[in-house]
Amino acid sequence: KFLASKDFVIHCTCSILDDEHHFLFVCTLNQDIRDTYFRKINLDNTTLDPISKSKIILNPKTDEQVKFLGSYLKQSSTLRTGGT
């Protein structure tokens, strides 16, 4: 489902709009990273609506949650850009 360029950048091929919701909750490219992050903050990605999930993950309550969010966003972005 993913295409790697000669520079080893992986591109999403989900064939849907790659907006914030897709990046944070849907894209299979960063599914493993997302699953790890959601486990760390005890978030069930299957039962909440998109607005509720966004409010939870984008409003960390503790320093540890801020660290987890930063790590999730950085790892997911790095995966997509190859670190550039």
Side-chain angles (χ1 to χ4, degrees):
K1 237 186 159 184
F2 308 108
L3 301 176
S5 73
K6 63 183 177 182
D7 297 323
F8 303 106
V9 176
I10 301 173
H11 301 280
C12 173
T13 60
C14 293
S15 299
I16 62 172
L17 178 64
D18 191 14
D19 61 3
E20 293 85 358
H21 172 76
H22 176 79
F23 176 77
L24 293 171
F25 303 109
V26 179
C27 187
T28 55
L29 178 62
N30 60 336
Q31 183 69 49
D32 292 341
I33 299 167
R34 179 174 37 254
D35 290 345
T36 299
Y37 172 60
F38 286 176
R39 263 193 315 276
K40 287 181 177 181
I41 64 166
N42 297 316
L43 178 67
D44 182 354
N45 193 30
T46 61
T47 59
L48 294 172
D49 64 275
I51 301 262
S52 296
K53 287 188 283 192
S54 296
K55 286 180 181 178
I56 292 169
I57 74 159
L58 297 175
N59 292 295
K61 304 289 187 228
T62 67
D63 290 344
E64 187 173 60
Q65 288 178 348
V66 171
K67 179 181 166 186
F68 293 152
L69 174 60
S71 178
Y72 168 53
L73 295 174
K74 181 175 174 139
Q75 288 178 35
S76 294
S77 293
T78 299
L79 182 64
R80 288 169 164 245
T81 64
T84 60

